[in-house]
Amino acid sequence: MQDDNNNDSPKPANVNGLSEQFGKGYSSGQLAGYRKDGLGQRALTVIEFLQARGLEGKSVLDIGCGIGALHMELLLAGAERATGVDASPTNIAAAQELAEELGLADRVEERQGDFVDLQDSVPHADIVTIDRAI
């Protein structure tokens, strides 16, 4: 779908109203919380589990990635590449900002939309995570 004001700029997909529910305020709050406190214990447990099985050279697909904190941390822990998919354009923008901030932008790709619609175009991965996704 094209933006009425600029035919060159597609509108982000609004997946079942999730773009509004997980908008800028939500994404900004999640990003601020991650910057202040890091990952929560549940996500740390996932990383420890995967580290024990070997992350080096592995690719990650993070479905419902939010601001990307989990797949960023997996990259920092040794994974080679990551793709994050989320319905919220502001979550994807926050994930891209975080990737730049952590120096990981060249190892990560963020995709905005419904994973069901994107699944055929998303690269295959060695590790797939779905943490608190709707």
Side-chain angles (χ1 to χ4, degrees):
M1 180 184 293
Q2 296 293 317
D3 185 322
D4 293 333
N5 298 324
N6 181 350
N7 288 337
D8 296 327
S9 301
K11 285 184 178 178
N14 183 1
V15 181
N16 296 324
L18 294 176
S19 293
E20 286 86 22
Q21 183 175 354
F22 297 98
K24 186 163 180 57
Y26 175 84
S27 302
S28 296
Q30 292 292 304
L31 195 53
Y34 172 73
R35 287 175 174 144
K36 180 179 180 244
D37 300 322
L39 290 177
Q41 187 55 53
R42 185 191 63 262
L44 290 172
T45 300
V46 170
I47 291 172
E48 290 170 10
F49 176 85
L50 293 171
Q51 266 187 312
R53 284 147 183 81
L55 286 172
E56 281 68 30
K58 304 286 184 180
S59 58
V60 175
L61 171 58
D62 190 4
I63 301 170
C65 69
I67 63 161
L70 180 59
H71 64 267
M72 301 297 169
E73 290 285 342
L74 288 168
L75 289 170
L76 292 171
E80 184 174 318
R81 296 210 39 83
T83 302
V85 178
D86 199 273
S88 167
T90 58
N91 276 347
I92 292 299
Q96 292 168 333
E97 180 181 329
L98 188 57
E100 287 288 333
E101 185 178 305
L102 297 173
L104 299 171
D106 62 331
R107 296 171 50 202
V108 68
E109 176 184 3
E110 306 297 346
R111 302 259 188 115
Q112 190 270 321
D114 185 334
F115 180 75
V116 173
D117 296 334
L118 298 175
Q119 64 184 326
D120 292 334
S121 67
V122 172
H124 291 274
D126 302 306
I127 298 167
V128 178
T129 59
I130 305 174
D131 181 35
R132 295 174 50 191
I134 295 175

